[in-house]
Amino acid sequence: MEIVSTRQVRVADRLGYWNEVLASTYRGMVVDAQQPLFEAQLSTWRLGSLRMVRPRSSSAVVRRHETRATIGSQATIIAHIIHDGQVQLTQRGRQVSLGSGDMVLCAGEEPYRFDCPSAHRLSVVEFDGAELAAALPQVEDCIARRIPGQTTGVRIFQSYLSALWSEAGQPFEGSMAQTHSQVLVELLGACLAEAEAVAGAGAGGGAADPVLQRIREAIAAGIGDFDLGPATIARECGIPLRTLQATAARAGTTIGQMITECRLLRGAAMLRANPRRSVIEVAMACGFADPSYFARRFAQRFGQSPRDYRAMH
């Protein structure tokens, strides 16, 4: 296992040093620091055909493959587990907000971006894309979609991964490494199956509703728009307004309720991630033109005011 850190590097040189480290680990990756005092550490370890990485850093924006000239031919699927902090992934036109415990998959050879507004710590596992697709045909549909951390599958995956990392200082023979690699693939398959079942239950059916998922993604992408409403979402999703409303009704909700819920959850995440940001700024960023209305709805949803919620977290 290899560990690199900015600890011994001059503050003025840390960002440049860290970009060199990242470029040697993931080709085409660039990081922009979000504060003057940038700190980061990266642990890497190979287990059979898998590459595993544990990054942590202060607030940053991480981009990969900003220009398609940097994209290679070997497809990889990269699983990210958030241990600490709030992270937003953008890939394939989707924006996914992630919190502690959540998992998300990226297509490693396609452009993506992670926005990390606060200090964060992740575990990352890089799979061979062709091998993973052969073992888990559904994996392509799960790219850039949140896999909730509260599901049993994700918790078991994290526990197993942590147990492996505790043994990283010991040599693994080829057959043993391959066995553990295969176990991780099978556990990932369990995570995807459970996440699909949970999404299906939320959609009011036995399988995930792709239209409902598109609606949720459109809401998340436009959450800062004060005028966001059913007509805008229908236009973004490319579906008739009547279909939009019927899809929400099958899930036991309305488009207005979905928008408000998304705004409140985003506001709660922002309050946790940046305690110094004012409640007014958070309200505006989440699409509430009236901060007092935001405070009232927030208290109804979370049982305390935004200020009290921020103090508790």
Side-chain angles (χ1 to χ4, degrees), residues 5-295:
S5 170
T6 60
R7 186 179 299 273
Q8 304 303 323
V9 180
R10 291 193 316 159
V11 172
D13 299 331
R14 285 180 179 178
L15 188 58
Y17 168 77
W18 198 245
N19 273 311
E20 291 179 2
V21 169
L22 288 182
S24 66
T25 305
Y26 289 118
R27 183 169 47 82
M29 184 171 285
V30 177
V31 62
D32 293 322
Q34 300 297 288
Q35 61 185 50
L37 184 58
F38 178 74
E39 296 180 328
Q41 178 177 300
L42 189 73
S43 305
T44 57
W45 180 39
R46 279 202 172 272
L47 179 68
S49 61
L50 305 183
R51 178 166 59 177
M52 303 197 293
V53 183
R54 275 192 167 180
R56 65 173 179 83
S57 85
S58 50
S59 58
V61 174
V62 181
R63 301 178 179 87
R64 192 173 188 204
H65 300 316
E66 288 188 293
T67 61
R68 289 188 174 272
T70 65
I71 300 178
S73 58
Q74 182 180 1
T76 58
I77 301 295
I78 309 174
H80 300 76
I81 298 175
I82 316 302
H83 294 302
D84 298 306
Q86 299 291 318
V87 176
Q88 180 173 279
L89 166 70
T90 303
Q91 187 173 50
R92 294 187 176 179
R94 301 169 185 160
Q95 289 186 331
V96 188
S97 296
L98 307 159
S100 178
D102 289 342
M103 175 190 288
V104 70
L105 304 182
C106 292
E109 304 310 316
E110 298 178 22
Y112 62 83
R113 166 178 171 145
F114 278 101
D115 287 89
C116 311
S118 61
H120 54 281
R121 182 171 61 91
L122 287 73
S123 284
V124 180
V125 184
E126 182 177 332
F127 298 88
D128 179 276
E131 292 179 2
L132 191 64
L136 306 175
Q138 75 273 37
V139 71
E140 183 66 21
D141 294 332
C142 299
I143 300 297
R145 299 190 186 278
R146 174 177 173 264
I147 305 173
Q150 67 266 30
T151 57
T152 303
V154 174
R155 293 200 304 269
I156 293 175
F157 188 97
Q158 288 192 58
S159 297
Y160 191 81
L161 191 60
S162 294
L164 284 177
W165 270 99
S166 69
E167 303 293 331
Q170 305 298 322
F172 277 66
E173 297 179 359
S175 59
M176 182 183 296
Q178 190 58 39
T179 296
H180 288 297
S181 298
Q182 186 59 40
V183 170
L184 283 173
V185 171
E186 293 176 358
L187 288 177
L188 179 59
C191 292
L192 303 186
E194 188 176 7
E196 183 176 359
V198 170
D209 186 337
V211 176
L212 187 65
Q213 181 62 33
R214 283 163 58 194
I215 293 171
R216 288 174 173 148
E217 291 170 357
I219 291 172
I223 205 65
D225 181 1
F226 296 152
D227 298 322
L228 183 66
T232 303
I233 296 168
R235 184 171 60 252
E236 290 296 324
C237 293
I239 58 178
L241 182 59
R242 183 174 298 179
T243 301
L244 183 87
Q245 294 167 333
T247 301
R250 286 197 302 272
T253 186
T254 68
I255 298 300
Q257 290 170 343
M258 292 176 67
I259 292 172
T260 299
E261 177 70 3
C262 185
R263 282 176 167 159
L264 292 171
L265 291 174
R266 180 71 62 85
M270 293 176 68
L271 289 169
R272 293 194 303 269
N274 191 348
R276 295 183 178 180
R277 195 167 188 177
S278 73
V279 173
I280 293 176
E281 288 179 318
V282 170
M284 295 295 184
C286 296
F288 286 95
D290 183 354
S292 62
Y293 178 70
F294 166 68

